[in-house]
Amino acid sequence: MKMQKKSKMMVIGMIGILLVASVLMAGCTEDDGVNEVTVTGSSTNLPIAQMCAEEFNSEHDNIRVSVSGGGSGYGISAIIEGTADIGMSSRDIRQSERDQIPDLVEYTIGIDGLAIIVSKPVYNAGITGLTTQQVIDIYSGQTNNWNEIGGPDEDIYVVERAETSGTYGSFMDMMGLEETAAHSTQLENSDVRRTVTTSDYAIGYVGMAYTGGDAPAVSLDGVEPTVANVQAGHYSLQRNLYFYLNGEPTGAVKEYVDFVMSSRGQEIVAEVGFIPAH
Amino acid sequence: MNIRKLISLWIFTVSTVVAILGFWALATRMDVEYWMFFVALTLISASYYLSGIYHHMTEKDMNGVFMLFYASIVLMVAAFSFYLPEILDMRQWEINARIPNFFFYSLSMLFLGIFSSYLSFRPFYNFKKEGAQMGAYYMLYITMIFTLIPLFVILFNIVYRGAGGITWEFLTEDIISMGERGGVYPAILGTLALILVTAVIVLPLGVGTAIYLAEYARKGLAVRVIRTAVNILQGTPSIVHGLFGYAFFVLILFDGQKCLLAGALTLAILTLPIVIRSAEEALNAVPGDLRDASLALGASKWQTIKKVVLPPSLPGILTGTVLGLGRAAGETAPIMFTAVYFSGAGTPSSLLRPIQALPYHLLSLYRLIGYRDVDLQAWATALLLLIIVLGVNVSAIIIREKYRQRF
Amino acid sequence: MISRRAKDKMVHYTFFGIATVSVLIIFFIFIFLFVEAYPAIQRFGSELLSRDWNVARNQFGLLPAIFGSVLVAVGALVVAVPLGLGAAIYLSEIAPNRIRVLLKPFIELLAGIPSIVYGFIGAILLGRFLYDTFGMRGTNSFLAGILVLGVMALPIIVSMSDDSLKAVPKDLKDASLALGATKWQTIRKVTIPAAISGISSAVIMGMGRAIGETMAVMLIIGSVMRIPVPFFDIFESGNTLTALIAVQMGEAHGIIINVLFTAGIMLFTIVAVMSIISDILQKRTTDKFEGKR
């Protein structure tokens, strides 16, 4: 008898929870006047979009900007499929992609130098600069040991980005490579950085903002990847960072894009380690 | 206590100490010198020589010879290890490893230590069958301990490293400065909303299906096919659910919008087989006699199900459902491309808006480690996620234990 | 007032409807997967089973990922089965009840730890540890994946094997003991053989989990589409089908998503075969003892 009472209570409790939940759900679907702006794509652009969004959100009660990474390819395909309002990309859009977006709108939100980083022990052993040819040799698998280019007698651990990333695309284009002999493929800039820093004899490439500390950037053909060098155009591995949209932005999306392009937004670009677009 | 037992006890003690030292050295990557290794193994070997000679003197059977043989093998391992190079460069055979000799030292200390203590039960029981039994039991204890060790290491690390990060701010604030400060408040709510909506979808569907399968359906080919399909769906990797959820719910159903509902639907499909199976099991556990008795008293089928079958099987159904939801709460792959954003989504306000969720938050923070100072936040998120998921599971186990009914 | 009979009928049809919806959903998923995979299968055919993967050149050979999935799952079993079986036998046959009621729920709880947590810990703590211990080139490796998956499969193997060992009827064991066998002989010669189908089904479930695991593997295996040379070099990094899908799903348009669906189908088929075998084994166990109880 007691058991039955308990069971009954449980049934009532369950039904109660379901009812409350459904009421909540029904209430949720009503429009509360908040405008959603979704931004997705390149992890290189992510710090810019994210830090801008945090400041922007705190200033606007009726607009909410959501940001997530995934890679430039994902950002652009999000525009094609319409899964996001803004697609971030750290490479130029390809013609095949452009064809699928009739009203493509492009904003250059910043400029980035693509930095080659090496593990601390390699850097300390004297590899503080590489030539473009050396980088190509390393990534195509012709140079396998650091001692071939004057470093310690250790195998090179080559880290690259996944094919979906714009940084990968830019790097391969600029180096004229079609495939690599990499030992590790990482999804995001910070993944590459961590893989390089946790190994002792690794090399990788990341957006400028991700260098420093345990992940020293080496100079390329004698030019350091610094803000000044990229701004002056001396550093050869540089690319634009884009916001891509399908059609001219309106409403909340426009407000957010305007904020990123405003002088305050461009200050944030510099704060997180990139070069402002203007 | 005779001499035989004393010697065996001595072997056991020495071997266990060596094994523990070996394990410790392995875990802390201690640079074990050759002489330490040699002394440890020689000690074991000498003990076995002693035991073997004593056994031979008293019993004069082959067992003493066997022990001497084993002692010689241990001694030979110790001696020949002298020729191990400082670092065994396996890259000469194109294998990507350079294994230092102390790794071999500590590893063989661990294994030879365990094996020697295992063997020591034989002389202790004078090679009777109790010796084999106690030895086997001892090995089983060891496997149990080694099963628990990694699990304790995981729990300890999460609690130890994450506890400091769980502050009031962490629990009540949104992300600030890419997760360096602030917290996970929207992610907690997002995860809870996800579980709740999933439950609302999956409960009626799963339990209803189970009732039909257990109470109404005639046992035949169709039911067997359905059951197999349910089992296959249960085994399907969660990333495949994520792929399906993205391609169908997000792209086709919701016109490209990642949202709470798309994530919940994906998770509902993930948990559906778990709910169906556990509910069906619980219903089948109710003896047929009870149903027959109720029907014989003139109750209708539905009355019988409602009043006789459901009440005792309810705890089982609930346990299964809650376990399924616990799994859903911790999943990343199915929601990664269907429902979540790293930031900005805020507290969940609509079914058709994206959310933030703890598992994805952990993934995103992990990605930022090294670039931003988010280590503490990442560990704290892991701890919080663990608390929520394990909390859900504990409540399921409590339901099961509390309302367990036997027939 | 509706008659009782009519009401009964209505309820019957309601449940029938619900069940139909569930079943339709399940079969819809299966069909959807195949439909989405078809364009890739049609276009690339057996090329999908080659070892060349290069998105830029439209080469989509999945063999490295298939190999990785199998290698990691088998490796995980090598780690988990001896430990898990030993622990299960200990729990079901030897442990005093006090310890059993403590350990069993604990181990079941551990099966619930989210895979992202395993991956996080594995990547942060295990990667560097193995790198230092084995002098590897980088922190990503099959070995790390094998160890993490082995630990993840442990609770399942322990818990399920324990259940099937417990299901062996007491009469069988008593008969053996009455004939003068020791407890250990009984376990070895009677209990384990009687429970062997249940134990194998536990092992298969553990392997299923290892093959289907995504997040943990993705973070530590290195995601390189290459079969290591020699193939047993577990210190190299590689890829699995699951990690491939998770990493590439970003480029979610064009033919590549169909290729990923093909990878999904492969996973799905492997798991389906294993789950059917496991079911048959489990059914054999129940059939074996049902009559004797």
Side-chain angles (χ1 to χ4, degrees):
Chain A
M1 203 53 217
K2 205 179 154 207
M3 206 66 214
Q4 266 198 353
K5 218 174 201 170
K6 270 186 185 167
S7 296
K8 213 170 210 169
M9 290 288 281
M10 280 170 70
V11 175
I12 293 170
M14 241 166 71
I15 294 173
I17 289 175
L18 285 187
L19 272 180
V20 172
S22 348
V23 168
L24 276 178
M25 279 167 66
C28 281
T29 44
E30 275 167 28
D31 198 12
D32 49 5
V34 174
N35 291 299
E36 195 86 33
V37 179
T38 49
V39 187
T40 190
S42 168
S43 67
T44 311
N45 306 28
L46 184 78
I48 302 176
Q50 169 68 30
M51 296 305 280
C52 285
E54 280 178 22
E55 196 163 320
F56 183 79
N57 284 344
S58 63
E59 286 167 11
H60 298 76
D61 287 338
N62 60 336
I63 303 178
R64 234 167 32 193
V65 183
S66 305
V67 183
S68 75
S72 297
Y74 184 56
I76 292 172
S77 73
I79 296 302
I80 297 172
E81 309 275 4
T83 54
D85 298 316
I86 301 172
M88 303 183 280
S89 174
S90 58
R91 61 166 165 81
D92 300 342
I93 192 164
R94 297 189 191 111
Q95 192 55 45
S96 62
E97 293 161 339
R98 194 184 283 270
D99 293 341
Q100 296 179 61
I101 313 170
D103 307 319
L104 183 76
V105 179
E106 178 183 292
Y107 287 91
T108 305
I109 58 168
I111 300 164
D112 180 31
L114 217 165
I116 311 284
I117 53 172
V118 296
S119 303
K120 208 75 191 252
V122 179
Y123 193 83
N124 290 342
I127 304 278
T128 54
L130 293 169
T131 64
T132 309
Q133 190 55 45
Q134 282 172 335
V135 175
I136 293 175
D137 286 347
I138 289 172
Y139 271 87
S140 60
Q142 281 157 21
T143 303
N144 288 311
N145 196 303
W146 285 112
N147 66 9
E148 292 172 45
I149 48 175
D153 180 17
E154 292 286 346
D155 289 339
I156 304 178
Y157 189 66
V158 183
V159 185
E160 65 169 0
R161 290 284 302 280
E163 287 111 330
T164 49
S165 104
T167 308
Y168 173 90
S170 305
F171 179 81
M172 300 296 269
D173 289 348
M174 287 187 253
M175 290 294 164
L177 288 168
E178 259 202 350
E179 64 184 337
T180 69
H183 302 106
S184 171
T185 306
Q186 298 295 327
L187 200 54
E188 312 251 356
N189 277 306
S190 41
D191 290 336
V192 171
R193 186 197 150 100
R194 190 183 38 256
T195 311
V196 170
T197 52
T198 52
S199 308
D200 289 335
Y201 303 101
I203 185 171
Y205 53 84
V206 292
M208 255 172 61
Y210 289 84
T211 63
D214 305 339
V218 297
S219 64
L220 191 69
D221 298 324
V223 184
E224 298 273 347
T226 58
V227 172
N229 282 338
V230 174
Q231 221 154 15
H234 295 318
Y235 188 72
S236 57
L237 290 183
Q238 55 177 319
R239 71 259 172 84
N240 292 342
L241 305 177
Y242 299 107
F243 270 3
Y244 284 117
L245 289 85
N246 193 356
E248 282 294 335
T250 52
V253 180
K254 183 170 165 45
E255 277 189 58
Y256 173 66
V257 174
D258 286 346
F259 177 77
V260 175
M261 302 305 292
S262 72
S263 54
R264 175 63 196 136
Q266 292 296 307
E267 256 174 49
I268 293 176
V269 171
E271 273 169 24
V272 295
F274 296 101
I275 295 108
H278 55 77
Chain B
M1 188 62 81
N2 57 29
I3 296 175
R4 170 194 314 284
K5 295 204 166 180
L6 269 181
I7 295 176
S8 306
L9 216 58
W10 164 249
I11 300 179
F12 181 80
T13 318
V14 169
S15 310
T16 311
V17 169
V18 169
I20 292 173
L21 283 180
F23 181 74
W24 184 249
L26 205 60
T28 56
R29 302 197 341 97
M30 195 165 78
D31 190 352
V32 182
E33 305 267 343
Y34 176 70
W35 67 265
M36 295 190 229
F37 167 76
F38 187 79
V39 167
L41 258 58
T42 313
L43 216 55
I44 294 179
S45 173
S47 315
Y48 266 100
Y49 273 123
L50 187 65
S51 174
I53 290 169
Y54 179 79
H55 187 87
H56 191 72
M57 275 164 32
T58 49
E59 302 285 332
K60 301 216 184 308
D61 58 12
M62 282 306 283
N63 291 322
V65 181
F66 279 133
M67 276 199 284
L68 293 179
F69 184 65
Y70 177 70
S72 310
I73 289 181
V74 174
L75 197 59
M76 266 154 67
V77 170
F80 279 114
S81 296
F82 179 71
Y83 294 102
L84 217 59
E86 181 103 27
I87 287 172
L88 181 65
D89 190 353
M90 295 177 73
R91 290 185 201 177
Q92 54 188 315
W93 305 299
E94 301 205 353
I95 290 174
N96 175 22
R98 274 184 200 163
I99 306 176
N101 56 5
F102 64 77
F103 172 75
F104 291 109
Y105 294 158
S106 35
L107 197 69
S108 32
M109 274 166 75
L110 173 63
F111 279 111
L112 279 176
I114 290 176
F115 193 67
S116 301
S117 47
Y118 159 70
L119 280 187
S120 72
F121 283 95
R122 306 287 163 99
F124 189 87
Y125 288 98
N126 200 8
F127 297 92
K128 300 216 175 68
K129 56 187 180 183
E130 288 88 351
Q133 163 153 327
M134 289 316 286
Y137 279 18
Y138 173 72
M139 284 311 264
L140 295 176
Y141 290 132
I142 298 281
T143 55
M144 188 72 227
I145 289 169
F146 273 87
T147 301
L148 292 176
I149 283 175
L151 304 173
F152 272 120
V153 168
I154 291 172
L155 290 183
F156 172 78
N157 268 297
I158 293 183
V159 174
Y160 177 71
R161 289 163 194 253
I166 295 199
T167 56
W168 184 245
E169 185 199 5
F170 181 73
L171 294 174
T172 55
E173 296 265 338
D174 196 354
I175 300 165
I176 301 173
S177 179
M178 295 189 82
E180 281 181 337
R181 286 173 294 121
V184 293
Y185 177 65
I188 297 174
L189 287 189
T191 291
L192 292 181
L194 213 48
I195 307 179
L196 203 65
V197 179
T198 306
V200 170
I201 300 168
V202 84
L203 254 185
L205 212 55
V207 177
T209 307
I211 290 179
Y212 183 79
L213 285 180
E215 303 295 326
Y216 290 101
R218 286 200 194 87
K219 313 281 175 263
L221 185 67
V223 171
R224 273 186 62 187
V225 170
I226 292 170
R227 234 168 243 148
T228 313
V230 169
N231 286 349
I232 292 174
L233 189 69
Q234 180 167 13
T236 305
S238 55
I239 185 73
V240 177
H241 289 284
L243 196 60
F244 171 79
Y246 176 69
F248 183 67
F249 293 131
V250 174
L251 291 187
I252 297 176
L253 216 58
F254 293 109
D255 200 25
Q257 175 73 20
K258 270 182 173 184
C259 62
L260 171 57
L261 189 55
L265 283 169
T266 311
L267 287 179
I269 290 175
L270 185 89
T271 40
L272 182 65
I274 305 177
V275 175
I276 293 181
R277 272 185 80 158
S278 56
E280 213 192 325
E281 242 164 61
L283 291 168
N284 281 336
V286 179
D289 316 357
L290 280 183
R291 293 188 185 82
D292 296 343
S294 163
L295 290 173
L297 286 173
S300 72
K301 181 122 189 171
W302 171 232
Q303 282 172 324
T304 304
I305 292 174
K306 202 168 56 174
K307 296 267 157 89
V308 177
V309 182
L310 269 184
S313 54
L314 211 56
I317 297 176
L318 264 188
T319 309
T321 313
V322 174
L323 281 178
L325 292 177
R327 169 149 182 233
E331 282 287 353
T332 318
I335 57 170
M336 189 160 59
F337 289 89
T338 55
V340 288
Y341 275 86
F342 170 49
S343 75
T347 52
S349 64
S350 158
L351 284 176
L352 300 176
R353 291 239 171 93
I355 51 165
Q356 290 166 237
L358 281 174
Y360 186 72
H361 190 77
L362 176 57
L363 178 66
S364 308
L365 287 185
Y366 164 76
R367 291 241 148 90
L368 290 170
I369 288 178
Y371 164 54
R372 291 267 166 171
D373 184 20
V374 294
D375 289 62
L376 185 59
Q377 292 251 345
W379 284 102
T381 310
L383 176 58
L384 193 62
L385 181 62
L386 203 68
I387 290 173
I388 290 182
V389 171
L390 293 192
V392 171
N393 286 1
V394 167
S395 61
I397 290 176
I398 289 174
I399 292 174
R400 186 180 68 191
E401 298 300 326
K402 195 163 177 189
Y403 295 96
R404 175 174 279 173
Q405 229 175 348
R406 298 192 179 281
F407 295 102
Chain C
M1 189 75 186
I2 344 161
S3 79
R4 231 181 59 178
R5 183 177 283 272
K7 195 175 166 194
D8 227 30
K9 265 257 148 60
M10 254 169 59
V11 173
H12 185 153
Y13 286 129
T14 314
F15 282 122
F16 179 73
I18 293 174
T20 317
V21 170
S22 296
V23 171
L24 283 182
I25 290 175
I26 293 173
F27 283 103
F28 174 72
I29 295 169
F30 295 172
I31 293 165
F32 189 85
L33 289 179
F34 278 97
V35 168
E36 285 283 324
Y38 184 69
I41 298 172
Q42 188 191 29
R43 178 159 159 203
F44 299 111
S46 61
E47 268 177 51
L48 287 169
L49 291 175
S50 77
R51 52 167 70 211
D52 302 312
W53 174 276
N54 189 324
V55 177
R57 288 195 207 138
N58 263 344
Q59 287 176 326
F60 298 109
L62 293 171
L63 193 64
I66 299 170
F67 173 82
S69 281
V70 173
L71 178 65
V72 174
V74 170
L77 285 191
V78 171
V79 174
V81 168
L83 285 183
L85 278 191
I89 298 169
Y90 171 78
L91 265 189
S92 65
E93 305 295 321
I94 303 170
N97 204 35
R98 243 171 338 118
I99 295 183
R100 190 187 145 77
V101 294
L102 205 73
L103 283 184
K104 177 94 202 238
F106 180 68
I107 286 176
E108 279 176 356
L109 269 192
L110 291 164
I113 297 181
S115 63
I116 182 77
V117 174
Y118 278 106
F120 175 67
I121 298 232
I124 298 258
L125 299 179
L126 189 65
R128 180 69 203 199
F129 178 79
L130 295 177
Y131 174 83
D132 287 338
T133 304
F134 293 106
M136 296 185 297
R137 263 188 303 219
T139 45
N140 302 125
S141 64
F142 277 118
L143 183 61
I146 286 172
L147 290 179
V148 169
L149 289 182
V151 172
M152 292 180 75
L154 260 181
I156 296 180
I157 294 181
V158 174
S159 174
M160 282 183 63
S161 308
D162 172 68
D163 287 342
S164 62
L165 284 167
K166 271 280 170 205
V168 175
K170 203 160 173 300
D171 320 359
L172 274 181
K173 300 179 201 169
D174 288 348
S176 164
L177 289 173
L179 287 172
T182 62
K183 225 176 149 199
W184 170 237
Q185 283 169 330
T186 307
I187 294 172
R188 209 158 44 120
K189 296 275 165 64
V190 178
T191 316
I192 294 180
I196 195 73
S197 357
I199 291 174
S200 349
S201 128
V203 170
I204 292 174
M205 287 305 280
M207 188 163 178
R209 168 136 202 211
I211 281 193
E213 197 40 64
T214 312
M215 302 318 290
V217 174
M218 186 181 97
L219 298 184
I220 48 186
I221 202 158
S223 307
V224 179
M225 282 296 266
R226 197 183 307 130
I227 299 178
V229 180
F231 69 90
F232 51 82
D233 185 0
I234 51 174
F235 304 104
E236 285 285 354
S237 45
N239 212 349
T240 65
L241 286 170
T242 49
L244 176 78
I245 298 177
V247 169
Q248 300 282 339
M249 203 146 95
E251 189 97 54
H253 66 131
I255 191 77
I256 187 162
I257 196 165
N258 304 112
V259 173
L260 296 185
F261 266 100
T262 317
I265 292 274
M266 286 173 183
L267 276 174
F268 176 81
T269 317
I270 298 172
V271 171
V273 170
M274 292 201 307
S275 122
I276 289 172
I277 296 175
S278 154
D279 271 3
I280 293 172
L281 287 173
Q282 227 160 23
K283 197 163 159 14
R284 259 190 29 196
T285 327
T286 35
D287 287 354
K288 203 152 65 176
F289 300 130
E290 215 87 291
K292 289 176 189 157
R293 221 180 283 184

